Amino acid sequence: MTLLHLEGIEAAYGAAQALFGVDLTVDEGEVLALMGRNGMGKSTTIRVICRLMAHSAGQVRFAGQDMARTPPHVAARAGLGLVPEGRRVFSNLTVGENLIAAARPGPWDMRKVTQLFPRLGERAGQVAGHLSGGEQQMLAIGRALMTNPRLMLLDEATEGLAPVVRQEIWSALDAVRRDSGLSLLVVDKSLAELGRIAERAVILERGRSVWHGAMSQVAGEVANTYLGV
């Protein structure tokens, strides 16, 4: 069953158009990789999905509902959980306060999140602004899970982190995919790591969807043409 459906999405920052036709779908329980070079519209697409930005053309449907006039807080309540680029934790609140700030009833609670990321349990009383970058990223993921979303969107969740921390986060996302069946839309540049968890990929170029297919096919000519790797 299709959970998220985007068709012909166009969006702009003032007079500067950023999206010229984005099409993608995410099914229940599926992991989709959203890929492309820098500046191709991935983060803008995430913003449109989460209703942080309006679209000027096309259609966004989530769980069968037209999201065109939905404000961000209602989109979140509908089941969209965002792990934003740059983490954006509440730096003056403790780890525990960050986790419960937007918590909603469901299987993901404090106990389950701290099992996934034990360091969050160890630092529950620590102010989030004093955490390392990797710990803040774990907190951002945990905070999104605590909203008990139907779809979690991760925008460059491992960018700039040490390799050992990256591996810890990818392992946690693999566990979320495997054990909970939560739908994920993941923006990242790591083909190897995305290949561990994603079934399909959509590639954007200059604000348009230009390729979609199995994650296993994102290699060779496809990667060279659209990703520059």
Side-chain angles (χ1 to χ4, degrees):
M1 176 182 172
T2 299
L3 181 61
L4 175 70
H5 177 83
L6 270 64
E7 183 177 356
I9 294 299
E10 298 182 13
Y13 295 95
Q17 190 163 346
L19 301 182
F20 296 85
V22 173
D23 306 299
L24 63 82
T25 61
V26 181
D27 291 340
E28 291 272 11
E30 182 182 30
V31 181
L32 178 74
L34 182 59
M35 307 185 73
R37 297 184 182 94
N38 289 340
M40 294 299 171
K42 303 183 299 298
S43 292
T44 301
T45 299
I46 295 288
R47 290 178 58 82
V48 168
I49 294 168
C50 293
R51 310 315 302 152
L52 298 170
M53 180 176 181
H55 57 286
S56 56
Q59 187 178 63
V60 179
R61 296 188 70 83
F62 179 70
Q65 300 297 313
D66 186 349
M67 304 294 282
R69 291 180 170 83
T70 303
H73 69 281
V74 176
R77 289 175 188 164
L80 288 166
L82 175 62
V83 181
E85 186 177 18
R87 304 168 194 123
R88 300 184 190 176
V89 299
F90 303 120
S91 59
N92 60 331
L93 299 182
T94 68
V95 168
E97 289 167 342
N98 267 269
L99 290 175
I100 65 173
R104 300 183 69 226
W108 287 100
D109 55 17
M110 187 79 76
R111 179 189 62 82
K112 193 168 181 180
V113 166
T114 54
Q115 284 179 342
L116 184 69
F117 293 119
R119 272 188 271 181
L120 297 183
E122 296 166 3
R123 291 159 172 74
Q126 186 170 338
V127 173
H130 295 165
L131 300 178
S132 69
E135 290 165 345
Q136 288 188 11
Q137 189 62 71
M138 294 173 193
L139 180 56
I141 295 171
R143 183 180 60 188
L145 288 170
M146 289 281 285
T147 69
N148 280 284
R150 296 182 66 181
L151 171 65
M152 186 163 71
L153 304 100
L154 300 104
D155 193 357
E156 302 284 6
T158 64
E159 185 176 28
L161 301 180
V164 65
V165 178
R166 289 172 58 91
Q167 288 304 312
E168 187 173 350
I169 288 174
W170 283 113
S171 294
L173 295 177
D174 191 27
V176 169
R177 173 197 63 81
R178 184 181 64 247
D179 299 336
S180 72
L182 178 65
S183 299
L184 303 175
L185 195 162
V186 185
V187 174
D188 206 275
K189 299 180 180 67
S190 175
L191 286 174
E193 302 301 344
L194 284 171
R196 289 175 53 188
I197 67 170
E199 292 94 356
R200 291 192 302 116
V202 170
I203 298 177
L204 303 186
E205 186 168 54
R206 296 178 183 176
R208 292 182 172 86
S209 300
V210 294
W211 188 93
H212 63 88
M215 189 66 211
S216 59
Q217 297 176 321
V218 185
E221 183 177 351
V222 171
N224 289 332
T225 300
Y226 297 118
L227 305 177
V229 297

